[in-house]
Amino acid sequence: MWRTSSVSETVRKMGNAMRGVVAFIPAERCQRFLVGDLKEMPLDRTLDLSSRQLRRLPVAACVFDELVKLYLSGNNLSTLPVELQGLRKLQLLALDFNCFEELPAAVCRLPQLSILYLGNNRLYHLPRELRELKELSTLWLETNCFTVFPKVVCELSNLKTLHLGYNQIRSLPKELKRLEELRSIWLAGNQLAEFPPVLLEMHFLAVIDVDRNRIRRFPGLSHMQGLKLVIYDHNPCVNAPAVGEGVRRVGRWADSSDDEQEDDGSKAASETTAEVTEVQPEEEHNI
């Protein structure tokens, strides 16, 4: 057991040392070392260059015009070459866990793109050109720097799944209801102080995730006939959303009746008021 652990630690240290050496290799040679020669189109039309410590994408990766999937996750990329737009048949592009502050223009010129991973970057806005991605059905934007919902998303008419968790978003625009194909929206870990009113008009939604926000009271959702799952845990709420038969709830009072919720909610509200009352004198003293 100890020997296996020791060997693993040695391999890890060798890997770190090798990455340090790579930093001193001239750029072109460094790229060849990290990604290989990239001479032939992969048989499955998938190219995986994840976790290669890349700071730029080799142009050689953009010559495979039959490529369908390109994985670039877990690198140090902040830009992409314009040649990327030559991948006209690309359907999946993974750019998560990189260093992008802006979405490269070439990404918006991929006509067949249907799945785009942009999570865990440094994005705070999206370009208007994103609306040109007419086939985009799944968009991951979780763990970025958005403080305002990027409205261009409301123009992605084919979008079915939207992940926007763990940003700093406080509200959703009314234009979101244009997305009639949207079936799941994931908004955990934002700054929503109320359940977004626009979602109440989107009866076709199947999944709503507002976990870890600041919502105190939930409206009834029983009129949403397409709803299958609502996640509302870790909110300072005094009630659970009322839902239709067969809809799964994840959060406080998920298995309680409306009467039980009302009793517990009144108690919770009283406890909160008492806590505030107790804190006030101390706050005044500090002032």
Side-chain angles (χ1 to χ4, degrees):
M1 185 71 172
W2 176 87
R3 181 177 177 80
T4 301
S5 176
S6 177
V7 170
S8 299
E9 181 66 14
T10 300
V11 170
R12 185 186 66 79
K13 289 181 179 179
M14 289 176 62
N16 291 338
M18 187 63 69
R19 293 188 185 98
V21 171
V22 166
F24 295 96
I25 302 175
E28 293 301 324
R29 291 177 59 194
C30 178
Q31 294 293 313
R32 287 198 299 272
F33 176 83
L34 292 171
V35 305
D37 285 334
L38 296 177
K39 291 181 178 178
E40 298 181 1
M41 161 69 100
L43 294 178
D44 59 359
R45 297 196 293 172
T46 298
L47 182 58
D48 189 351
L49 297 178
S50 299
S51 303
R52 303 292 182 93
Q53 303 294 314
L54 296 176
R55 295 186 180 275
R56 64 183 181 85
L57 177 65
V59 174
C62 302
V63 301
F64 304 131
D65 55 8
E66 296 292 320
L67 205 64
V68 172
K69 299 178 182 180
L70 177 58
Y71 294 91
L72 298 172
S73 308
N75 284 293
N76 296 308
L77 299 169
S78 58
T79 62
L80 292 173
V82 67
E83 288 84 356
L84 181 78
Q85 67 191 50
L87 303 179
R88 309 290 290 177
K89 297 185 179 180
L90 199 67
Q91 297 176 19
L92 183 153
L93 178 59
L95 299 174
D96 46 326
F97 293 94
N98 275 286
C99 304
F100 292 102
E101 295 183 5
E102 296 186 353
L103 184 64
V107 174
C108 301
R109 298 173 185 149
L110 300 170
Q112 298 300 314
L113 196 64
S114 61
I115 302 175
L116 178 57
Y117 295 97
L118 292 170
N120 291 272
N121 277 284
R122 302 169 186 171
L123 299 169
Y124 59 92
H125 73 95
L126 295 174
R128 295 196 64 183
E129 291 77 10
L130 186 73
R131 62 185 175 180
E132 300 301 323
L133 298 179
K134 305 298 185 183
E135 299 299 318
L136 197 64
S137 62
T138 300
L139 179 59
W140 292 69
L141 294 167
E142 78 284 359
T143 317
N144 273 285
C145 302
F146 294 101
T147 58
V148 176
F149 186 95
K151 280 193 176 182
V152 67
V153 170
C154 300
E155 300 183 55
L156 299 172
S157 58
N158 197 48
L159 197 65
K160 295 177 174 60
T161 301
L162 175 60
H163 290 262
L164 251 172
Y166 300 96
N167 283 281
Q168 297 294 316
I169 294 171
R170 296 179 179 275
S171 63
L172 304 186
K174 61 181 184 299
E175 291 86 353
L176 189 66
K177 63 184 177 182
R178 297 176 187 168
L179 300 182
E180 297 183 358
E181 296 297 319
L182 194 66
R183 295 295 178 267
S184 62
I185 185 165
W186 306 81
L187 299 164
N190 277 285
Q191 297 293 319
L192 300 173
E194 66 171 350
F195 188 85
V198 67
L199 297 184
L200 298 175
E201 302 180 52
M202 302 173 72
H203 301 174
F204 39 80
L205 282 172
V207 178
I208 298 175
D209 178 12
V210 288
D211 185 22
R212 298 182 187 279
N213 276 275
R214 300 162 54 198
I215 302 171
R216 289 193 54 79
R217 184 169 293 278
F218 283 91
L221 305 179
S222 55
H223 67 288
M224 301 182 69
Q225 297 181 355
L227 195 61
K228 303 296 182 186
L229 171 65
V230 56
I231 305 171
Y232 61 94
D233 210 5
H234 303 98
N235 278 279
C237 55
V238 297
N239 73 313
V243 295
E245 185 177 356
V247 179
R248 184 185 176 197
R249 300 185 299 191
V250 178
R252 191 177 185 185
W253 302 299
D255 300 319
S256 302
S257 66
D258 291 341
D259 291 338
E260 290 173 328
Q261 288 178 42
E262 185 174 352
D263 292 341
D264 288 348
S266 298
K267 181 180 179 182
S270 299
E271 290 174 351
T272 301
T273 303
E275 290 173 2
V276 171
T277 303
E278 290 175 1
V279 169
Q280 282 178 344
E282 182 179 349
E283 290 178 342
E284 293 173 355
H285 176 73
N286 291 336
I287 292 174

